[in-house]
Amino acid sequence: WEYFSMDGSHYLAVANSINGSNNRAIDSEIFRWNGTAFVSMQRLLTFGARCWEWFSVADSSSSS
């Protein structure tokens, strides 16, 4: 699990590495806190995922 927050919202990312059939092509999932519980927000097909790492990218916009 990897917790992160962004723009006032709270998230958990879950890395799934294998399912019950020994298949490594499996969805990992991102959950968002709705004030009561974490609910599924997005599923991503991953292959043997082990962890998530939160990062941010600096704003690269410029004004003329």
Side-chain angles (χ1 to χ4, degrees):
W1 294 80
E2 175 78 11
Y3 166 82
F4 62 96
S5 62
M6 183 173 51
D7 297 329
S9 294
H10 304 281
Y11 300 90
L12 282 177
V14 178
N16 291 311
S17 61
I18 196 165
N19 67 14
S21 302
N22 287 332
N23 186 355
R24 294 192 181 279
I26 184 173
D27 286 345
S28 290
E29 202 160 359
I30 300 173
F31 296 86
R32 188 166 100 181
W33 182 252
N34 70 4
T36 305
F38 282 100
V39 293
S40 179
M41 186 189 97
Q42 185 174 8
R43 290 175 170 243
L44 304 160
L45 180 60
T46 55
F47 299 88
R50 294 190 157 242
C51 65
W52 286 96
E53 190 66 36
W54 164 250
F55 65 94
S56 63
V57 177
D59 183 8
S60 61
S61 62
S62 61
S63 55
S64 302

